[in-house]
Amino acid sequence: MTETAAATTRVVVTTDSLVRFHPVQVRPSDDDPDEVVVGRPEIGQFVELPAVGARAIELLDAGATIGTAERQLAAEHDIEVDLVDLVEALREAGLVDQIDGQPLAGPHRQVRPHLPGLRARHVSWLFGPVAKLVYLALVAATLVTVVRRPELLPTFRDFFWTDYVGLAVLVNTGLFSLSATMHELSHLVAARSLGAPARIRFATRLHHLVLETDVTAIWSVPRRYRYRVYLSGLFWDLAVVCVALLVLGHTTPHPVVAALLAALVLVLVMSMALQLHVYMRTDFYFVLLDVLRCRNLFHDGLAYARHLLRRFGHSVLPARIAAAGDDPSAVLPSHERRAVRVYAAAVVIGSMVALTSFAGFGLPILLHGAFQAGSAVVAGATGGSLLAAVDGALVLVVEGTLQTIFLLTLYRRYGRRRRPTTAPTSVTPAGPVPAG
């Protein structure tokens, strides 16, 4: 009964209130020396506050009432602050544990990380100077090998390493799934090397089913370390490509093994190229996010694109479409505003090209392949080729499984989405970081 009351009763915050916080991490902001980042890695919630806000949390957590903390801050910094609003904002962010001795039901569910027993001391050597030298030597050796033997470079023919298309699809999908898992594990290991929890999950990017790693907790570390997490998956992919090419270039493996290595190289190169599609929040998107010093390039870019679309619609059909209102990018700092407006164009153009390409080529190929596979299965059941029927069944099983997972992931992500809470203006939330 007590837990239910705590979860449903809204505790009123006053200047006489005593506030206790969850254990939080505090670090200086990457961009503003007068601000700090405060957050809880275990729930993936971080906010940026004026530096005085960190001092306020320290005073309140030490047992001062809100009113006492306000007077103390006024004496120390010669400023007036409204800590009631700050506490309300931090409560919404899930940083407040108790108010006046009453536990609060957190608005954010604690994320259960994968491989919680993996510690920084276990994996930090993978990102040390010796590992970097080995990696550079591996890449250099591969470049020399490819220059001498350019026929090792992948082509589309490497995908069809057998005459049975269904078998090629099944095995290549397995290779891709394995490489994607290792790619995401690389993100997870890089996050754990910085002491940050992470979790791997299915997600969607337009019409693509993808794996992604939630590494929002890396907001607890400075920007220069975050690049390690963003790029670790690509570095792993490149390392595997290098090893496979070196094996092909300097040994004589069995023809089937050689064909599978060539298919693996092709699958990985295609996957790495996809990371350049920054309009889909790929790994390079998060690199771009930090390089351009933006907080949420994708969200702000979409908001600006919607604003332009509504403004255009209103100019064409003023009686049916309401006016666009204020430009959402106008409140951003000038450097962010410029980046957001350019990125908004990239999102719109890239998404339109990708979806048009899928509608014109990808979907017809998928449907035609499914029809051909189904026809082979029916023919095999009525006296036709048994091998062709098995091959067609493999295609249907693989593609059917992938599309089912895609639809379930899409429903979980968007079908049951709850309306987000708007954060107060006194706190700047840091956006989620799903590396993929």
Side-chain angles (χ1 to χ4, degrees):
M1 184 63 121
T2 303
E3 292 180 357
T4 303
T8 58
T9 303
R10 181 76 175 182
V11 182
V12 178
V13 182
T14 69
T15 55
D16 294 324
S17 294
L18 291 169
V19 181
R20 294 290 183 273
F21 292 88
H22 291 283
V24 295
Q25 293 189 10
V26 181
R27 67 166 178 84
S29 170
D30 294 303
D31 302 312
D32 190 338
D34 295 325
E35 292 193 347
V36 294
V37 175
V38 181
R40 294 178 60 197
E42 68 273 16
I43 64 171
Q45 290 295 315
F46 293 86
V47 297
E48 282 195 345
L49 300 172
V52 70
R55 174 59 175 157
I57 291 175
E58 180 184 349
L59 292 171
L60 292 172
D61 217 27
T65 65
I66 289 180
T68 301
E70 288 178 343
R71 291 188 292 273
Q72 181 69 26
L73 292 174
E76 292 178 359
H77 301 277
D78 195 25
I79 58 173
E80 291 186 5
V81 291
D82 186 348
L83 294 187
V84 171
D85 285 347
L86 176 64
V87 169
E88 289 286 4
L90 296 178
R91 168 158 65 177
E92 294 300 324
L95 306 187
V96 178
D97 182 25
Q98 298 179 15
I99 296 178
D100 292 329
Q102 185 167 341
L104 302 182
H108 304 284
R109 184 168 54 90
Q110 184 166 336
V111 179
R112 182 181 300 174
H114 287 140
L115 302 182
L118 193 64
R119 304 295 185 213
R121 66 179 183 273
H122 299 147
V123 294
S124 57
W125 61 273
L126 291 170
F127 306 93
V130 174
K132 291 176 182 176
L133 287 175
V134 171
Y135 188 87
L136 289 174
L138 179 65
V139 173
T142 305
L143 288 175
V144 172
T145 300
V146 170
V147 168
R148 291 179 175 178
R149 296 188 56 187
E151 71 274 11
L152 293 174
L153 293 174
T155 71
F156 75 92
R157 294 180 182 86
D158 293 328
F159 187 91
F160 301 101
W161 51 272
T162 173
D163 293 334
Y164 296 101
V165 177
L167 182 59
V169 169
L170 175 64
V171 175
N172 291 348
T173 300
L175 290 175
F176 177 80
S177 300
L178 179 61
S179 64
T181 301
M182 296 306 299
H183 178 105
E184 297 308 321
L185 279 173
S186 299
H187 289 305
L188 187 146
V189 167
R192 298 302 294 139
S193 74
L194 299 172
R199 182 175 179 83
I200 300 172
R201 64 195 179 194
F202 281 111
T204 59
R205 299 285 189 275
L206 293 180
H207 55 280
H208 298 282
L209 174 68
V210 300
L211 282 174
E212 69 177 18
T213 305
D214 185 348
V215 291
T216 308
I218 64 170
W219 278 104
S220 62
V221 302
R223 176 181 288 117
R224 66 182 181 275
Y225 296 113
R226 297 200 291 267
Y227 293 119
R228 173 194 298 182
V229 181
Y230 301 151
L231 295 173
S232 58
L234 281 168
F235 287 157
W236 168 263
D237 292 344
L238 183 57
V240 174
V241 167
C242 289
V243 170
L245 290 176
L246 289 174
V247 170
L248 291 172
H250 298 282
T251 67
T252 308
H254 188 279
V256 174
V257 175
L260 290 176
L261 286 175
L264 176 62
V265 170
L266 175 64
V267 166
L268 285 173
V269 169
M270 292 174 62
S271 176
M272 292 166 67
L274 190 64
Q275 297 296 340
L276 293 171
H277 297 193
V278 294
Y279 59 89
M280 292 195 298
R281 290 177 296 162
T282 58
D283 293 349
F284 276 126
Y285 161 80
F286 292 101
V287 173
L288 191 66
L289 187 75
D290 266 350
V291 168
L292 297 177
R293 307 298 197 260
C294 295
R295 288 188 175 90
N296 200 329
L297 197 56
F298 184 79
H299 177 271
D300 294 335
L302 278 184
Y304 182 67
R306 292 191 189 102
H307 168 77
L308 293 183
L309 180 62
R310 179 171 288 276
R311 192 169 72 179
F312 173 76
H314 179 71
S315 67
V316 175
L317 299 170
R320 301 188 63 180
I321 299 179
D326 296 333
D327 178 358
S329 69
V331 299
L332 299 173
S334 59
H335 73 280
E336 276 196 68
R337 183 164 58 248
R338 289 191 296 269
V340 162
R341 290 177 177 179
V342 173
Y343 181 76
V347 168
V348 172
I349 295 172
S351 298
M352 288 178 62
V353 170
L355 291 174
T356 301
S357 175
F358 177 69
F361 300 100
L363 187 58
I365 289 172
L366 181 65
L367 294 176
H368 179 73
F371 177 78
Q372 292 289 92
S375 299
V377 171
V378 172
T382 55
S385 171
L386 180 60
L387 287 177
V390 173
D391 195 56
L394 290 176
V395 172
L396 292 177
V397 169
V398 172
E399 292 300 330
T401 301
L402 292 176
Q403 297 308 317
T404 299
I405 296 174
F406 174 82
L407 292 174
L408 290 174
T409 303
L410 198 67
Y411 172 74
R412 279 203 310 268
R413 191 152 195 173
Y414 299 105
R416 297 180 294 177
R417 174 182 285 180
R418 294 183 298 178
R419 191 181 186 121
T421 302
T422 301
T425 56
S426 60
V427 174
T428 304
V433 185

